[in-house]
């Protein structure tokens, strides 16, 4: 019998939807059973989950697969399209999908071993290499990073004031200026804005495979900041931050000036988002990156 993991009952996007969310999560076992019957799948272990989805290990004709059902607000059609474009290049293969059920049938990777478990010295160039190799021309209809930069430019001052002016006016002005410059640049690649250490899993077909992409159109340099702040607790001091920045830039063949600009803009933006949401850790990490790449707190 397929059961919903106990932690999913207390943790997940569905909890914000009240009765509709409860109806969705209670219906998951039936959804999985129907999809298993449709695609001739046999459950092969306990289900796991994230904030937005439940994943059941399954087999078909001896092949290890993963059946994923996402919360209805998730854009699984974009995820399916992105995986289809990559066609197994450094990412899990998409075997089938049922958009009406927000379901994807995927190649299985090892969810017990991710790049987050790898030493940072190895993980940084690994993620940089993936970022570069998976860069392809963007399909039509993707959200454009130039528009993200324009939004940051237009809203930053108001958000900075609302947050109690958490960094100097001179830095706020610089961030606005940089965001304006970035908004004028082209969006040349399909960029996975969810490329993160925890979403690069060990596998058998390849040593590492990316899961759960979220595609946008933009420059690769857009992704530098989160790849630094995610594991910033493991990096000691400004010199070490800059060393990992350089290693990431080399591995992904990035424009370092553009990467610096995006790191400053995204760090300021993420800091303000964190303060508005009442977070405590994220603003601290972002302040360190701002200090490192702007020379001021």
């Amino acid at each position: 019998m397929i059961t919903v993991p106990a932690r999913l009952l207390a943790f997940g996007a569905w909890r914000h939807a009240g009765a509709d969310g409860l109806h969705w999560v209670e219906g998951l076992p039936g959804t999985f059973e129907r999809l298993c019957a449709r695609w001739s799948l046999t459950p092969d272990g306990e289900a796991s989950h994230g904030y937005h989805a439940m994943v059941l290990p399954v087999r078909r004709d001896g092949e290890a697969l993963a059946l994923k059902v996402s919360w209805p607000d998730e854009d699984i059609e974009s995820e399916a399209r992105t995986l289809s474009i990559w066609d197994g290049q450094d990412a899990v293969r998409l075997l089938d999908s049922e958009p009406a059920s927000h379901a994807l049938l995927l190649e299985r990777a090892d969810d017990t071993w991710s790049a987050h478990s790898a030493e940072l010295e190895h993980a940084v160039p690994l993620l940089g290499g993936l970022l570069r190799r998976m860069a392809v021309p963007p399909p039509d209809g993707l959200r454009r990073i130039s528009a993200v930069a324009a939004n940051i430019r237009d809203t930053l001052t108001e958000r900075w004031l609302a947050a109690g002016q958490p960094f100097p006016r001179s830095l706020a002005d610089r961030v606005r200026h940089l965001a304006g410059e970035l908004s004028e640049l082209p969006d040349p690649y399909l960029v996975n804005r969810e490329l993160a250490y925890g979403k690069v899993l060990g596998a058998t077909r390849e040593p590492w495979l990316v899961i759960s992409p979220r595609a946008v159109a933009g420059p690769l340099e857009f992704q530098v900041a989160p790849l630094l702040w995610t594991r910033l607790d493991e990096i000691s001091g400004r010199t070490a931050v800059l060393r990992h920045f350089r290693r990431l830039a080399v591995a992904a063949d990035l424009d370092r000036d553009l990467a610096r600009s995006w790191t400053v803009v995204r760090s300021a933006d993420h800091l303000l988002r964190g303060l508005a949401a009442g977070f405590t850790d994220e603003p601290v990490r972002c302040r360190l990156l701002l200090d490192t790449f702007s020379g001021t707190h």
Side-chain angles (χ1 to χ4, degrees), residues 1-5 29 33 46-47 54 56:
M1 172 180 285
I2 299 171
T3 59
V4 177
E33 288 168 6
E46 297 296 321
M54 176 171 153
L56 180 71

Side-chain angles (χ1 to χ4, degrees), residues 30 83 192:
L83 291 173
N192 178 13

Side-chain angles (χ1 to χ4, degrees), residues 228 235 237-248 256 260 292-293:
L228 290 175
I235 305 175
R238 182 176 184 273
T239 299
V241 173
L242 290 173
R243 182 168 64 86
H244 285 297
F245 169 81
R246 289 191 294 269
R247 296 177 74 238
L248 183 59
R256 294 194 193 183
R260 281 177 174 269
T292 300
F293 291 99

Side-chain angles (χ1 to χ4, degrees), residues 144-167:
R144 307 194 75 81
I145 293 304
S146 55
V148 173
N151 180 260
I152 293 173
R153 176 200 62 203
D154 295 342
T155 64
L156 186 117
T157 299
E158 181 181 353
R159 294 163 57 211
W160 174 76
L161 290 169
Q165 305 178 29
F167 43 82

Side-chain angles (χ1 to χ4, degrees), residues 138-139 142-147 186-191 215-219:
L142 291 183
R143 184 185 185 194
R144 307 194 75 81
I145 293 304
S146 55
D187 296 306
Y189 300 111
L190 182 158
V191 180
V216 291

Side-chain angles (χ1 to χ4, degrees), residues 30-46:
T31 300
F32 276 98
E33 288 168 6
R34 180 180 58 77
L35 291 168
C36 283
R38 174 182 175 182
W39 287 328
S40 301
L41 307 172
T42 302
D44 187 40
E46 297 296 321

